[in-house]
Coordinates of all heavy atoms in Angstrom, one line a residue:
M71 N 11.5 -12.2 8.6 CA 10.7 -12.3 7.4 C 10.9 -13.7 6.8 O 12.1 -14.1 6.5 CB 11.1 -11.2 6.4 CG 10.4 -11.3 5.1 SD 10.8 -10.0 3.9 CE 9.5 -8.9 4.1
N72 N 9.9 -14.4 6.6 CA 10.0 -15.8 6.0 C 9.8 -15.7 4.5 O 9.5 -14.6 3.9 CB 9.1 -16.8 6.7 CG 7.6 -16.3 6.6 OD1 7.2 -15.6 5.7 ND2 6.8 -16.8 7.5
N73 N 9.9 -16.8 3.9 CA 9.8 -16.9 2.4 C 8.4 -16.5 1.9 O 8.3 -15.8 0.9 CB 10.1 -18.3 1.9 CG 11.6 -18.6 2.0 OD1 12.4 -17.7 2.1 ND2 11.9 -19.9 2.0
Q74 N 7.4 -16.8 2.6 CA 6.0 -16.5 2.2 C 5.8 -15.0 2.3 O 5.2 -14.4 1.4 CB 5.0 -17.2 3.1 CG 3.6 -17.0 2.6 CD 2.6 -17.8 3.5 OE1 2.9 -18.3 4.6 NE2 1.4 -18.0 3.0
D75 N 6.4 -14.3 3.3 CA 6.3 -12.9 3.4 C 7.1 -12.2 2.3 O 6.6 -11.2 1.8 CB 6.8 -12.4 4.8 CG 5.8 -12.7 5.9 OD1 4.6 -12.9 5.6 OD2 6.3 -12.7 7.1
A76 N 8.2 -12.7 2.0 CA 9.0 -12.1 0.9 C 8.3 -12.3 -0.5 O 8.3 -11.3 -1.3 CB 10.4 -12.8 0.8
I77 N 7.7 -13.4 -0.7 CA 6.9 -13.6 -1.9 C 5.7 -12.6 -2.0 O 5.5 -12.0 -3.0 CB 6.5 -15.1 -2.1 CG1 7.7 -15.9 -2.3 CG2 5.5 -15.2 -3.2 CD1 7.4 -17.4 -2.3
L78 N 5.0 -12.5 -0.9 CA 3.9 -11.6 -0.8 C 4.3 -10.1 -1.0 O 3.7 -9.4 -1.7 CB 3.2 -11.7 0.5 CG 1.9 -10.9 0.7 CD1 0.9 -11.3 -0.4 CD2 1.3 -11.1 2.1
L79 N 5.5 -9.8 -0.5 CA 6.0 -8.4 -0.7 C 6.4 -8.2 -2.1 O 6.0 -7.1 -2.7 CB 7.2 -8.2 0.2 CG 7.8 -6.8 0.1 CD1 6.9 -5.7 0.5 CD2 9.1 -6.7 1.0
A80 N 7.0 -9.1 -2.8 CA 7.4 -9.0 -4.2 C 6.1 -8.9 -5.1 O 6.1 -8.1 -6.0 CB 8.2 -10.2 -4.6
L81 N 5.1 -9.7 -4.8 CA 3.9 -9.7 -5.6 C 3.2 -8.4 -5.4 O 2.6 -7.8 -6.3 CB 3.0 -10.8 -5.2 CG 3.5 -12.2 -5.7 CD1 2.5 -13.3 -5.2 CD2 3.5 -12.3 -7.2
T82 N 3.2 -7.8 -4.1 CA 2.6 -6.5 -3.9 C 3.3 -5.4 -4.6 O 2.6 -4.6 -5.2 CB 2.6 -6.3 -2.3 OG1 1.9 -7.3 -1.7 CG2 2.0 -4.9 -2.0
V83 N 4.6 -5.4 -4.6 CA 5.3 -4.4 -5.4 C 5.0 -4.5 -6.9 O 4.8 -3.5 -7.6 CB 6.9 -4.5 -5.1 CG1 7.7 -3.7 -6.1 CG2 7.2 -4.1 -3.7
L84 N 5.0 -5.8 -7.4 CA 4.6 -6.0 -8.8 C 3.2 -5.5 -9.1 O 3.1 -4.7 -10.1 CB 4.7 -7.5 -9.1 CG 4.4 -7.9 -10.5 CD1 5.4 -7.4 -11.5 CD2 4.1 -9.4 -10.6
A85 N 2.3 -5.8 -8.3 CA 0.9 -5.4 -8.5 C 0.6 -4.0 -8.3 O -0.3 -3.4 -8.9 CB -0.1 -6.3 -7.7
A86 N 1.3 -3.4 -7.3 CA 0.9 -2.0 -6.9 C 1.8 -0.9 -7.6 O 1.3 0.2 -7.7 CB 1.1 -1.9 -5.4
I87 N 2.9 -1.3 -8.0 CA 3.8 -0.2 -8.6 C 4.2 -0.5 -10.1 O 4.0 0.3 -10.9 CB 5.1 -0.1 -7.8 CG1 4.8 0.3 -6.3 CG2 6.1 0.9 -8.4 CD1 5.9 0.3 -5.4
I88 N 4.6 -1.7 -10.4 CA 5.1 -2.0 -11.7 C 4.0 -2.1 -12.7 O 4.1 -1.5 -13.8 CB 6.0 -3.3 -11.7 CG1 7.3 -3.0 -10.8 CG2 6.4 -3.7 -13.1 CD1 8.1 -4.2 -10.5
L89 N 3.0 -2.9 -12.4 CA 1.9 -3.1 -13.4 C 1.1 -1.8 -13.7 O 0.9 -1.5 -14.9 CB 1.0 -4.2 -12.9 CG 1.6 -5.7 -13.0 CD1 0.6 -6.7 -12.5 CD2 2.0 -6.0 -14.4
P90 N 0.8 -1.1 -12.7 CA 0.1 0.2 -13.0 C 1.0 1.2 -13.8 O 0.5 1.9 -14.6 CB -0.3 0.8 -11.6 CG -0.4 -0.4 -10.7 CD 0.7 -1.3 -11.2
G91 N 2.3 1.2 -13.5 CA 3.2 2.0 -14.2 C 3.3 1.6 -15.7 O 3.3 2.5 -16.6
L92 N 3.4 0.3 -15.9 CA 3.4 -0.2 -17.3 C 2.1 0.1 -18.0 O 2.1 0.5 -19.2 CB 3.7 -1.7 -17.3 CG 5.1 -2.1 -17.0 CD1 5.2 -3.6 -16.9 CD2 6.1 -1.5 -18.0
A93 N 1.0 0.0 -17.3 CA -0.3 0.3 -17.9 C -0.4 1.8 -18.2 O -0.9 2.2 -19.3 CB -1.5 -0.1 -16.9
N94 N 0.1 2.6 -17.3 CA 0.1 4.1 -17.6 C 1.0 4.4 -18.8 O 0.5 5.1 -19.7 CB 0.7 4.8 -16.4 CG 0.8 6.3 -16.5 OD1 0.1 6.9 -17.4 ND2 1.6 7.0 -15.7
W95 N 2.1 3.8 -19.0 CA 3.0 4.0 -20.1 C 2.2 3.5 -21.4 O 2.3 4.2 -22.4 CB 4.3 3.2 -20.0 CG 5.1 3.2 -21.2 CD1 5.9 4.2 -21.7 CD2 5.2 2.2 -22.1 NE1 6.5 3.9 -22.9 CE2 6.1 2.6 -23.2 CE3 4.7 0.9 -22.2 CZ2 6.4 1.8 -24.2 CZ3 5.0 0.1 -23.3 CH2 5.8 0.5 -24.3
G96 N 1.6 2.3 -21.3 CA 0.9 1.8 -22.5 C -0.2 2.6 -22.9 O -0.4 2.9 -24.1
F97 N -1.1 3.0 -22.0 CA -2.2 3.9 -22.4 C -1.7 5.2 -22.9 O -2.3 5.8 -23.8 CB -3.2 4.1 -21.2 CG -4.1 2.9 -21.0 CD1 -4.1 2.3 -19.8 CD2 -4.9 2.4 -22.0 CE1 -4.9 1.2 -19.5 CE2 -5.7 1.3 -21.8 CZ -5.7 0.7 -20.5
S98 N -0.7 5.8 -22.3 CA -0.2 7.1 -22.8 C 0.4 7.0 -24.2 O 0.3 7.9 -25.0 CB 0.9 7.6 -21.8 OG 0.3 7.9 -20.5
T99 N 1.1 5.9 -24.4 CA 1.6 5.6 -25.8 C 0.5 5.5 -26.8 O 0.7 5.9 -28.0 CB 2.5 4.4 -25.8 OG1 3.5 4.5 -24.8 CG2 3.1 4.1 -27.1
L100 N -0.6 4.9 -26.4 CA -1.7 4.7 -27.3 C -2.5 6.0 -27.5 O -3.5 6.1 -28.3 CB -2.6 3.6 -26.9 CG -2.1 2.2 -26.9 CD1 -3.0 1.2 -26.2 CD2 -1.8 1.8 -28.4
G101 N -2.2 7.1 -26.8 CA -2.9 8.3 -26.9 C -4.0 8.5 -25.9 O -4.8 9.4 -26.1
Y102 N -4.0 7.8 -24.8 CA -5.0 7.9 -23.8 C -4.3 8.2 -22.4 O -4.3 7.4 -21.5 CB -5.8 6.6 -23.6 CG -6.5 6.2 -24.9 CD1 -6.1 5.1 -25.6 CD2 -7.6 6.9 -25.3 CE1 -6.7 4.7 -26.7 CE2 -8.3 6.5 -26.4 CZ -7.8 5.4 -27.2 OH -8.5 5.1 -28.3
P103 N -3.7 9.4 -22.3 CA -3.0 9.7 -21.1 C -3.8 9.8 -19.8 O -3.4 9.4 -18.7 CB -2.3 11.1 -21.4 CG -3.2 11.7 -22.4 CD -3.7 10.6 -23.2
W104 N -5.1 10.2 -19.9 CA -6.0 10.3 -18.8 C -6.3 8.9 -18.3 O -6.4 8.6 -17.1 CB -7.2 11.0 -19.1 CG -7.0 12.5 -19.2 CD1 -6.8 13.2 -20.3 CD2 -6.8 13.4 -18.1 NE1 -6.6 14.6 -20.0 CE2 -6.6 14.7 -18.7 CE3 -6.9 13.3 -16.7 CZ2 -6.4 15.8 -17.9 CZ3 -6.7 14.4 -16.0 CH2 -6.4 15.7 -16.5
V105 N -6.5 8.0 -19.2 CA -6.8 6.6 -18.8 C -5.6 6.0 -18.1 O -5.7 5.3 -17.1 CB -7.2 5.7 -20.0 CG1 -7.4 4.3 -19.6 CG2 -8.5 6.3 -20.6
G106 N -4.4 6.3 -18.7 CA -3.2 5.8 -18.1 C -2.9 6.3 -16.7 O -2.6 5.6 -15.8
S107 N -3.2 7.6 -16.5 CA -3.0 8.2 -15.2 C -4.0 7.7 -14.2 O -3.7 7.4 -13.0 CB -3.1 9.7 -15.3 OG -2.1 10.3 -16.0
A108 N -5.3 7.5 -14.6 CA -6.3 6.9 -13.7 C -5.9 5.5 -13.4 O -6.1 5.1 -12.2 CB -7.6 7.0 -14.4
T109 N -5.4 4.7 -14.3 CA -5.1 3.3 -14.0 C -3.9 3.3 -13.0 O -3.9 2.5 -12.1 CB -4.6 2.6 -15.3 OG1 -5.7 2.7 -16.3 CG2 -4.3 1.2 -15.1
W110 N -2.9 4.2 -13.2 CA -1.8 4.2 -12.3 C -2.3 4.6 -10.9 O -1.9 4.0 -9.9 CB -0.7 5.2 -12.8 CG 0.4 5.2 -11.9 CD1 1.5 4.3 -11.9 CD2 0.7 6.1 -10.8 NE1 2.4 4.7 -10.9 CE2 1.9 5.7 -10.2 CE3 0.0 7.1 -10.3 CZ2 2.4 6.4 -9.1 CZ3 0.5 7.8 -9.2 CH2 1.7 7.4 -8.6
A111 N -3.1 5.6 -10.8 CA -3.6 6.1 -9.5 C -4.4 5.0 -8.8 O -4.3 4.8 -7.6 CB -4.4 7.4 -9.7
L112 N -5.3 4.4 -9.5 CA -6.1 3.3 -8.9 C -5.3 2.2 -8.5 O -5.5 1.7 -7.4 CB -7.2 2.9 -9.9 CG -8.2 1.8 -9.4 CD1 -9.0 2.4 -8.3 CD2 -9.0 1.3 -10.6
G113 N -4.3 1.7 -9.3 CA -3.5 0.6 -8.9 C -2.6 0.9 -7.7 O -2.5 0.1 -6.8
Y114 N -2.0 2.1 -7.7 CA -1.2 2.6 -6.6 C -2.0 2.7 -5.3 O -1.6 2.3 -4.3 CB -0.5 3.9 -7.0 CG 0.7 4.2 -6.1 CD1 1.9 3.6 -6.2 CD2 0.6 5.2 -5.1 CE1 3.0 3.9 -5.4 CE2 1.6 5.5 -4.3 CZ 2.8 4.9 -4.4 OH 3.9 5.2 -3.6
G115 N -3.2 3.3 -5.5 CA -4.0 3.5 -4.3 C -4.5 2.2 -3.7 O -4.5 2.0 -2.5
L116 N -4.9 1.3 -4.5 CA -5.3 -0.1 -4.0 C -4.1 -0.8 -3.4 O -4.3 -1.5 -2.4 CB -5.9 -0.9 -5.2 CG -7.3 -0.5 -5.6 CD1 -7.7 -1.3 -6.9 CD2 -8.3 -0.6 -4.5
G117 N -2.9 -0.6 -3.9 CA -1.7 -1.1 -3.3 C -1.5 -0.6 -1.9 O -1.1 -1.3 -1.0
V118 N -1.7 0.7 -1.7 CA -1.5 1.3 -0.4 C -2.5 0.8 0.5 O -2.2 0.5 1.7 CB -1.6 2.9 -0.5 CG1 -1.7 3.5 0.8 CG2 -0.4 3.4 -1.3
V119 N -3.8 0.6 0.1 CA -4.8 0.1 0.9 C -4.5 -1.4 1.3 O -4.6 -1.8 2.5 CB -6.2 0.2 0.3 CG1 -7.2 -0.6 1.0 CG2 -6.6 1.6 0.1
F120 N -4.0 -2.2 0.4 CA -3.6 -3.5 0.7 C -2.5 -3.6 1.7 O -2.5 -4.4 2.6 CB -3.3 -4.3 -0.6 CG -2.8 -5.7 -0.4 CD1 -3.7 -6.7 -0.1 CD2 -1.5 -6.0 -0.4 CE1 -3.4 -8.0 0.2 CE2 -1.1 -7.3 -0.2 CZ -2.0 -8.3 0.1
I121 N -1.5 -2.8 1.5 CA -0.3 -2.7 2.4 C -0.8 -2.4 3.8 O -0.4 -3.0 4.8 CB 0.8 -1.8 1.9 CG1 1.4 -2.4 0.7 CG2 1.8 -1.5 3.0 CD1 2.4 -1.5 0.0
W122 N -1.7 -1.4 3.9 CA -2.3 -1.0 5.2 C -3.0 -2.2 5.8 O -2.8 -2.5 7.0 CB -3.2 0.2 5.1 CG -4.0 0.4 6.3 CD1 -3.5 1.0 7.5 CD2 -5.3 0.0 6.6 NE1 -4.5 1.0 8.4 CE2 -5.6 0.4 7.9 CE3 -6.2 -0.7 5.9 CZ2 -6.8 0.1 8.5 CZ3 -7.5 -0.9 6.4 CH2 -7.8 -0.5 7.8
Y123 N -3.9 -2.8 5.0 CA -4.7 -3.9 5.5 C -3.9 -5.1 5.9 O -4.1 -5.8 6.9 CB -5.7 -4.3 4.5 CG -6.7 -5.4 4.9 CD1 -7.8 -5.1 5.7 CD2 -6.5 -6.7 4.6 CE1 -8.6 -6.0 6.2 CE2 -7.4 -7.7 5.0 CZ -8.4 -7.3 5.8 OH -9.3 -8.3 6.3
E124 N -2.8 -5.5 5.2 CA -2.1 -6.7 5.4 C -1.0 -6.5 6.5 O -0.8 -7.4 7.3 CB -1.4 -7.1 4.1 CG -0.7 -8.5 4.1 CD -1.7 -9.6 4.3 OE1 -2.9 -9.5 3.9 OE2 -1.3 -10.6 5.0
W125 N -0.3 -5.3 6.5 CA 0.8 -5.2 7.4 C 0.7 -4.2 8.5 O 1.2 -4.4 9.6 CB 2.1 -4.9 6.6 CG 2.6 -6.1 5.9 CD1 3.1 -7.3 6.4 CD2 2.7 -6.2 4.4 NE1 3.4 -8.1 5.4 CE2 3.2 -7.5 4.2 CE3 2.3 -5.4 3.4 CZ2 3.4 -8.0 2.9 CZ3 2.5 -5.9 2.1 CH2 3.1 -7.2 1.9
V126 N 0.0 -3.1 8.2 CA -0.1 -2.0 9.2 C -1.2 -2.2 10.2 O -1.1 -2.0 11.4 CB -0.2 -0.6 8.5 CG1 -0.3 0.5 9.5 CG2 1.1 -0.4 7.6
R127 N -2.4 -2.6 9.7 CA -3.6 -2.7 10.5 C -3.4 -3.7 11.7 O -3.9 -3.4 12.8 CB -4.8 -3.1 9.7 CG -6.1 -3.1 10.4 CD -7.2 -3.6 9.5 NE -7.0 -5.0 9.0 CZ -7.3 -6.1 9.6 NH1 -8.0 -6.1 10.7 NH2 -7.0 -7.3 9.0
P128 N -2.8 -4.8 11.5 CA -2.7 -5.8 12.6 C -1.7 -5.4 13.7 O -1.7 -6.0 14.7 CB -2.1 -7.1 11.9 CG -2.4 -6.9 10.5 CD -2.4 -5.5 10.2
L129 N -0.9 -4.3 13.5 CA 0.1 -3.9 14.5 C -0.6 -3.4 15.7 O -1.6 -2.6 15.6 CB 1.0 -2.9 13.9 CG 1.9 -3.3 12.8 CD1 2.7 -2.1 12.3 CD2 2.9 -4.4 13.2
D130 N -0.1 -3.7 16.9 CA -0.7 -3.2 18.1 C 0.2 -2.0 18.5 O 1.3 -2.2 19.0 CB -0.6 -4.3 19.2 CG -1.2 -3.8 20.5 OD1 -2.0 -2.8 20.5 OD2 -0.9 -4.4 21.5
I131 N -0.2 -0.8 18.2 CA 0.6 0.3 18.5 C 0.0 1.2 19.6 O 0.1 2.4 19.6 CB 0.8 1.2 17.2 CG1 -0.6 1.5 16.6 CG2 1.7 0.5 16.2 CD1 -0.5 2.4 15.4
T132 N -0.5 0.5 20.6 CA -1.0 1.2 21.8 C 0.1 1.4 22.8 O 1.2 0.7 22.7 CB -2.2 0.4 22.5 OG1 -1.7 -0.9 22.8 CG2 -3.3 0.3 21.5
G133 N -0.1 2.3 23.7 CA 0.9 2.5 24.7 C 0.9 1.4 25.8 O 0.1 0.6 25.8
P134 N 1.8 1.5 26.7 CA 1.9 0.5 27.8 C 0.7 0.7 28.7 O 0.1 1.7 28.9 CB 3.2 0.8 28.5 CG 3.5 2.2 28.2 CD 2.9 2.5 26.8
E135 N 0.4 -0.4 29.4 CA -0.7 -0.4 30.4 C -0.4 0.4 31.6 O 0.7 0.4 32.0 CB -1.0 -1.9 30.8 CG -1.5 -2.8 29.7 CD -3.0 -2.6 29.4 OE1 -3.7 -2.2 30.3 OE2 -3.3 -2.8 28.2
G136 N -1.4 1.1 32.2 CA -1.2 1.8 33.4 C -0.6 3.2 33.3 O -0.3 3.8 34.3
V137 N -0.3 3.6 32.1 CA 0.3 5.0 31.9 C -0.8 5.9 31.6 O -1.6 5.7 30.7 CB 1.3 4.9 30.8 CG1 1.9 6.3 30.6 CG2 2.5 4.0 31.2
S138 N -0.9 7.0 32.3 CA -1.9 8.0 32.1 C -1.7 8.7 30.8 O -0.5 9.0 30.4 CB -1.9 9.0 33.2 OG -2.8 10.1 33.0
G139 N -2.7 9.0 30.0 CA -2.6 9.7 28.8 C -2.5 11.2 28.9 O -2.0 11.9 28.0
S140 N -2.8 11.7 30.1 CA -2.7 13.2 30.3 C -1.5 13.6 31.1 O -1.3 13.1 32.2 CB -4.0 13.6 31.0 OG -3.9 15.0 31.3
E141 N -0.7 14.5 30.5 CA 0.5 14.9 31.3 C 0.1 16.1 32.2 O 0.9 16.5 33.0 CB 1.6 15.4 30.3 CG 2.1 14.2 29.5 CD 3.2 14.7 28.5 OE1 3.7 15.8 28.7 OE2 3.5 13.9 27.6
D142 N -1.0 16.7 32.0 CA -1.5 17.8 32.8 C -2.1 17.4 34.1 O -2.6 18.3 34.9 CB -2.4 18.7 32.0 CG -1.8 19.3 30.8 OD1 -0.5 19.5 30.8 OD2 -2.5 19.6 29.8
S143 N -2.2 16.2 34.4 CA -2.9 15.8 35.6 C -2.2 16.1 36.9 O -2.8 16.2 38.0 CB -3.2 14.2 35.6 OG -2.0 13.5 35.6
G144 N -0.9 16.4 36.9 CA -0.2 16.8 38.0 C 0.1 15.7 39.0 O 0.4 16.0 40.2
E145 N 0.0 14.5 38.7 CA 0.2 13.4 39.6 C 1.6 12.9 39.6 O 2.4 12.8 38.8 CB -0.7 12.2 39.2 CG -2.1 12.5 39.4 CD -3.0 11.3 39.0 OE1 -2.6 10.2 39.1 OE2 -4.1 11.6 38.6

C-alpha cells in the first residue's frame, strides 16, 4: 500500500462512515431522526459502492486456466 492508497482509504472512511454518522447525529439532535437515518444510510451505501468500484471490481478472481468447472464429469 503506497501513500496515495492510504490517503484514499482515509478519505473513504471519512466520507463513508464519519461524515454520515455526524450528519445522522446532527439531524437527530435537531429533531429530524428520519432525515438523519436516511443521510447515514445513503452515505454508508454510497461508500460501499465506491469501495466495490475502486478496490473489489478490478480484482481478477477467476480460477486457473484449464481446470474444469464441473466435478461430476468423471474425468
Side-chain angles (χ1 to χ4, degrees):
M71 178 180 256
N72 59 24
N73 287 340
Q74 188 177 14
D75 286 340
I77 291 170
L78 185 59
L79 180 62
L81 289 174
T82 302
V83 168
L84 178 72
I87 298 171
I88 295 172
L89 290 178
L92 288 174
N94 182 15
W95 172 79
F97 283 123
S98 296
T99 302
L100 292 173
Y102 302 107
W104 287 100
V105 175
S107 295
T109 303
W110 182 84
L112 183 64
Y114 194 77
L116 289 174
V118 169
V119 169
F120 177 76
I121 288 170
W122 169 80
Y123 183 79
E124 188 66 31
W125 286 295
V126 178
R127 185 184 59 89
L129 295 177
D130 182 19
I131 51 175
T132 59
E135 295 281 331
V137 176
S138 174
S140 174
E141 294 181 15
D142 296 331
S143 65
E145 293 180 29

